[in-house]
């Protein structure tokens, strides 16, 4: 599906997708069949002391572009002028940032962008997990979707489609309390409660949470704890499919499935759950072949409903940027 571009917006727009680890920038504009992403560029957030510094550096690289405004999707709650990115040190005032980069700035939650991107995705941008398949009902039909994605943190959003128009539900659902689904997961929670006064879902089901989960699994199984990065965990798991890291990724897949099913129940997202995020893409084989779908459907009296809900991984490499662009021109 593709959103129709508004003919009233002909200007160049600076768009960004800003997470805990990376920031991605591009320019877009309306007037084409598909939303363009021009001059794409990625930086590590650790390489710049401030967001304004990163934006000004990017703008200086492309003097031929003359954006009149900026739309920034950030991994943070957006409740006022003051913004603090959840998993990196950047903090800023929206109004002050606009003055520093010389244009009006709109800031949206990163999962608002992820939810906004859904109508713009093509078939090749999605990979199904499980047997349930998307409905072929007309777009005018009332629908509800959920978006759940582990990146550096854990994002949650929703989309309600009514009479052909999409309304995005903003959320910080990744910070709800972690809910164990069995005795083993209860033991994982007990381990983490010795480290954190409150254990959110994000503490386990995210890129940053993978290290927590690895250490908790090791502790529950009576093994020596390891300090590994998410990349090292996935590499070690691939090399040793029966080892601690592989078992951790299987647990991760089950926890993600259980959480995604809970989000579907909470939002009434009977039409589908989409899973974006770099972590999701990197762990696609573990999610597709592991216990994700079993735990997604394992909802007691409502299991029959969950069995009918399709789950799809978003494989578009710049879904967050594209979502910010769709929001900007929509």
């Amino acid at each position: 599906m593709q959103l129709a571009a508004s003919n009233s917006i002909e200007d160049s727009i600076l768009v960004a997708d800003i997470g805990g680890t990376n920031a991605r920038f591009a320019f877009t504009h309306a007037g084409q069949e598909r939303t363009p992403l021009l001059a794409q560029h990625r930086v590590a957030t650790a390489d710049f002391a401030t967001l304004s510094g990163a934006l000004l550096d990017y703008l200086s690289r492309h003097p031929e572009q003359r954006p009149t405004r900026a739309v920034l999707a950030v991994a943070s709650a957006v409740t006022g002028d003051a913004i603090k990115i959840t998993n990196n040190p950047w903090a800023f005032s929206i109004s002050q940032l606009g003055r520093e980069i010389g244009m009006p700035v709109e800031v949206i939650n990163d999962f608002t962008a992820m939810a906004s991107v859904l109508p713009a995705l093509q078939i090749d941008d999605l990979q199904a997990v499980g047997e349930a398949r998307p409905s072929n009902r007309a777009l005018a039909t009332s629908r509800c979707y959920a978006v759940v994605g582990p990146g550096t943190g854990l994002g949650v959003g929703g989309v309600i489609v009514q009479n052909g128009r999409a309304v995005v539900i903003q959320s910080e659902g990744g910070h709800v309390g972690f809910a164990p689904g069995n005795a083993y997961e209860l033991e994982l929670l007990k381990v983490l409660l010795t480290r954190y006064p409150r254990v959110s879902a994000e503490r386990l089901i995210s890129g940053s949470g993978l290290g927590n989960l690895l250490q908790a699994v090791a502790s529950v199984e009576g093994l020596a704890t390891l300090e590994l990065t998410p990349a090292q965990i996935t590499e070690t798991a691939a090399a040793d499919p029966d080892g601690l890291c592989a078992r951790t990724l299987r647990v991760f897949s089950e926890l993600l499935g259980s959480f995604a099913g809970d989000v579907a129940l909470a939002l009434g997202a009977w039409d589908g759950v989409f899973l974006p995020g770099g972590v999701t893409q990197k762990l696609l084989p573990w999610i597709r072949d592991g216990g994700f779908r079993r735990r997604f459907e394992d909802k007691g009296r409502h299991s029959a409903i969950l069995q009918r809900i399709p789950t799809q991984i978003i494989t578009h490499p710049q879904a967050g940027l594209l979502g910010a662009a769709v929001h900007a021109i929509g």
Side-chain angles (χ1 to χ4, degrees):
M1 295 179 289
Q2 173 67 39
L3 288 180
S6 169
N7 293 326
S8 64
I9 302 178
E10 300 295 339
D11 54 317
S12 175
I13 308 166
L14 170 63
V15 294
D17 176 25
I18 301 163
T21 305
N22 297 298
R24 296 171 173 83
F25 307 122
F27 299 99
T28 193
H29 56 81
Q32 297 185 7
E33 182 179 353
R34 298 190 68 177
T35 306
L37 291 174
L38 310 175
Q40 297 180 42
H41 185 62
R42 183 184 70 179
V43 301
T45 56
D47 289 345
F48 291 87
T50 64
L51 173 56
S52 62
L55 287 168
L56 289 170
D57 175 77
Y58 174 67
L59 290 168
S60 72
R61 296 169 182 265
H62 301 283
E64 77 284 358
Q65 294 286 342
R66 301 181 183 275
T68 58
R69 58 193 177 96
V71 175
L72 314 179
V74 301
S76 172
V78 181
T79 58
D81 184 69
I83 302 294
K84 170 65 177 71
I85 308 299
T86 303
N87 289 298
N88 82 43
W90 286 354
F92 61 94
S93 155
I94 298 174
S95 56
Q96 178 64 29
L97 180 64
R99 290 190 290 270
E100 290 174 354
I101 67 172
M103 69 188 76
V105 173
E106 179 185 1
V107 177
I108 61 174
N109 177 265
D110 59 339
F111 264 68
T112 298
M114 283 297 185
S116 298
V117 81
L118 298 186
L121 295 175
Q122 307 297 309
I123 293 176
D124 292 343
D125 297 325
L126 299 167
Q127 183 164 140
V129 179
E131 298 301 320
R133 289 295 179 263
S135 169
N136 292 321
R137 292 184 297 158
L139 184 62
T141 305
S142 177
R143 297 185 185 180
C144 182
Y145 303 95
V147 185
V148 179
T152 302
L154 177 60
V156 175
V159 180
I160 295 174
V161 178
Q162 189 73 46
N163 298 322
R165 297 185 62 86
V167 177
V168 175
I169 304 170
Q170 298 191 47
S171 165
E172 285 295 318
H175 296 279
V176 302
F178 169 64
N182 53 45
Y184 181 83
E185 292 168 9
L186 179 59
E187 293 305 310
L188 297 177
L189 176 60
K190 290 178 180 178
V191 171
L192 290 172
L193 282 172
T194 66
R195 298 179 56 186
Y196 303 104
R198 177 180 182 270
V199 178
S200 67
E202 183 178 274
R203 291 293 190 190
L204 295 89
I205 314 170
S206 65
S208 58
L210 257 178
N212 290 334
L213 183 58
L214 176 68
Q215 293 178 21
V217 169
S219 178
V220 169
E221 296 186 5
L223 302 174
T225 58
L226 300 174
E227 295 283 349
L228 299 178
T229 66
Q232 290 171 330
I233 293 172
T234 55
E235 290 168 4
T236 305
D240 183 6
D242 296 319
L244 173 63
C245 289
R247 293 198 298 280
T248 297
L249 293 186
R250 283 191 282 271
V251 173
F252 183 94
S253 174
E254 294 193 11
L255 295 180
L256 177 59
S258 181
F259 180 77
D262 286 346
V263 171
L265 286 173
L267 293 181
W270 314 134
D271 296 288
V273 176
F274 294 87
L275 294 103
V279 171
T280 307
Q281 293 180 20
K282 290 182 177 67
L283 299 185
L284 194 154
W286 299 91
I287 295 171
R288 184 185 57 222
D289 302 330
F292 171 88
R293 188 68 201 190
R294 172 175 55 79
R295 290 294 299 278
F296 179 86
E297 298 175 1
D298 185 14
K299 298 300 176 187
R301 291 171 292 175
H302 289 85
S303 292
I305 296 176
L306 273 294
Q307 289 167 9
R308 297 193 295 268
I309 298 176
T311 48
Q312 299 181 83
I313 292 177
I314 297 175
T315 58
H316 189 288
Q318 299 295 347
L321 264 184
L322 181 59
V326 170
H327 178 90
I329 68 174

